[in-house]
Amino acid sequence: MNKKLEFPKGFLWGSATSGPQSEGRFNKKHDSVFDYWFDTEPELFFDGVGPNVASNFYNSYKSDLKMLNEIGLNSLRTSIQWTRLIKDFETGEADEDGVRFYNDVIDECIKNNMIPIMNLHHFDLPIELYEKYGGWESKHVVDLFCKFAKTAFELFRDRVKYWTTFNEPIVVVEGEYLYQFHYPKLVDGKKAVQVLYNLNLASAKVIEEFKKDNLDGEIGIILNLTPAYPRSDSKEDLLASKIADDFFNNSFLDPAVKGEFPKLLLDVLKKDNVLFESTEEELKIIKENTVDFLGVNYYQPRRVKAREKELDLKGNWMPDKYFENYEMPNRRMNPYRGWEIYPEAMYDIAINIKENYNNIPWFISENGMGVEGEERYINNDGVIEDDYRIDFYKEHLEFLHKGIEEGSNCFGYHTWTPIDCWSWCNAYKNRYGFISVNLKNQIKTIKKSGRWIKEVSLNNGF
Ligand code: BGP
């Protein structure tokens, strides 16, 4: 029998969701870019399902949070929607119903013995701010985001002790400005780089705001790290992989933890004439306002080789100029999501943070496996037997544990996601939850993995 894996005392066992993916649009005074996109092009969303109802959390948070307590979670991350909390974006004035709702959610979390971790941005920019100012292209929007954050801190900081500024900010850059998987689906390298900078600036400014009051509590950022693995040890492949790592991971990781951008990335952007516009004062804010902790979302690695054929960019700029992705022979795949499964990366991430990022406190803030058609696995008692998900988690936890044993400062493991939720353009195609949702009647049922995580959380290991 395998030896029991024991995790550090006080380890967070939990799960993550977001406002736009769980709440539904009920009583929301403003629309986010995703609300707007769905209203204008519903055919782009799997089965035509949008964010209108999601998993109905706005109406069922009390019973949902009770269920999460029932499956043993001791912590939960969700996000406060800018479009729900704020009535007036220019002043940061709060909406009454938004305040009531998030107050209740926080209180219910605590009542159910779960530490709330509150995130401030999960791809849900208000559409008005895109239309009026160009969204994250604008530094005025950076300042409006700080006003929203300030309002949230004033209202909820007495009970919320862990905050994060952004979830996966690089996805905003990739989805909206490079690879066309989020609205407005532009392909514009120069704007992409400015947005990358502005998001870093926004995170640092919010941290500055948070630290002003000298109250207790900690603030971090959630980054999706997709470690780049080079095809070979050739000089060319290694350089390609380093540039990919710098663009997709370190462009946020370095400023967040060390207060500065990776040098190689700056050199490349300068050489190609696409460096962002910055001021001395802003760079000082970034330098001085680094995170207290890191959240790491890990799903898949990136396999990289040097470019074999030059890309025809037609005058545009793309980071892909410097590398190509390739398919690792014999790789394991999640066929539903099209992502490689490579649990070993959990260890590599743990050691990278330990050795190159001051061994900063960090936790896995998302890890999970989306599966289509889970009804196939319903047993006679009506429970989905998702053994594949349990195996996936176990394997990833084994490699995480190895990193912790070697001294990496990891304080928790959150899966994506507690209750099957709405996943952007994939809508409800792939299910990730410990708890399933019947979309016809919103009935929620604990899956086998929900029973499993309860044992793990109780035993602080498995
Ligand atoms: C992460 C996002 C989540 C969630 C998850 C699953 O990148 O932070 O919001 O959606 O991925 O991915 P997907 O929904 O694309 O299957």
Side-chain angles (χ1 to χ4, degrees), residues 16-18 20-21 77 122-123 167-168 171 181-182 222 224 297 299 334 336-337 339 365-366 368-370 416-417 421-427 430-432:
T17 186
S18 75
Q21 293 176 273
R77 187 240 312 183
H122 202 122
F123 315 156
N167 174 79
E168 302 191 348
V171 169
F181 59 90
H182 283 184
I222 290 170
N224 51 315
N297 295 353
Y299 289 93
N334 170 353
Y336 314 103
R337 190 59 181 83
W339 285 345
S365 41
E366 283 182 32
M369 185 180 180
W416 183 265
T417 189
C421 69
W422 180 77
S423 263
W424 319 112
C425 288
N426 274 334
N430 303 316
R431 306 299 183 99
Y432 285 85

Side-chain angles (χ1 to χ4, degrees), residues 395-413:
E395 274 190 277
H396 283 76
L397 280 165
E398 276 162 17
F399 282 100
L400 178 63
H401 189 264
K402 191 164 171 247
I404 296 173
E405 264 188 336
E406 290 180 26
S408 189
N409 202 358
C410 173
F411 62 84
Y413 179 76

Side-chain angles (χ1 to χ4, degrees), residues 104-231:
D104 267 15
V105 167
I106 292 163
D107 290 344
E108 287 294 316
C109 261
I110 296 169
K111 237 202 251 166
N112 282 291
N113 300 317
M114 286 180 291
I115 298 173
I117 302 180
M118 281 297 183
N119 177 41
L120 293 170
H121 191 272
H122 202 122
F123 315 156
D124 56 342
L125 176 83
I127 184 69
E128 284 143 86
L129 300 186
Y130 180 72
E131 286 176 341
K132 229 167 148 185
Y133 303 114
W136 292 113
E137 295 159 39
S138 148
K139 289 185 186 171
H140 180 59
V141 169
V142 169
D143 291 332
L144 298 185
F145 183 62
C146 287
K147 290 193 180 161
F148 155 48
K150 186 168 187 271
T151 302
F153 296 152
E154 281 167 5
L155 287 164
F156 311 125
R157 209 174 152 176
D158 56 334
R159 286 151 294 152
V160 177
K161 299 299 168 194
Y162 294 95
W163 291 85
T164 56
T165 56
F166 284 91
N167 174 79
E168 302 191 348
I170 192 69
V171 169
V172 174
V173 178
E174 293 177 75
E176 297 184 20
Y177 293 92
L178 294 172
Y179 308 122
Q180 299 183 287
F181 59 90
H182 283 184
Y183 182 85
K185 297 189 286 173
L186 305 179
V187 186
D188 188 328
K190 177 109 179 118
K191 278 189 181 168
V193 171
Q194 189 63 49
V195 165
L196 181 150
Y197 173 78
N198 289 355
L199 290 166
N200 271 295
L201 178 64
S203 181
K205 282 192 162 183
V206 167
I207 294 174
E208 185 182 40
E209 181 64 52
F210 187 83
K211 305 246 151 152
K212 261 187 205 155
D213 292 334
N214 237 335
L215 300 172
D216 66 334
E218 294 187 4
I219 189 157
I221 190 167
I222 290 170
L223 303 178
N224 51 315
L225 299 185
T226 47
Y229 294 96
R231 170 184 54 182

